[in-house]
Amino acid sequence: MVRRIRHMVIAFITGALFGHFAIYAFLTWQGRAGAVGGEILFLPLMVLLVIMGWQARGEVEWTKK
């Protein structure tokens, strides 16, 4: 039960931080007059982190078997 609650809290905090960073990257992008900067790399980075976490979870479950 505690483990499930912990995972829900971590997922909520992760979602809140993702939303905050996405808004910040968008506002920074809007404030530029011309080409985008490094903030455009935020979304692909988040996708790669999610995929990496998913793969790591699979590896840990496979190792436990």
Side-chain angles (χ1 to χ4, degrees), residues 22-60:
I23 290 170
Y24 182 69
F26 181 72
L27 292 175
T28 303
W29 174 66
Q30 273 188 324
R32 293 191 187 253
V36 295
E39 68 274 356
I40 198 70
L41 299 175
F42 172 73
L43 292 176
L45 173 65
M46 287 296 108
V47 170
L48 287 174
L49 287 174
V50 168
I51 291 171
M52 185 182 75
W54 192 271
Q55 292 294 324
R57 181 186 62 88
E59 291 294 324
V60 168

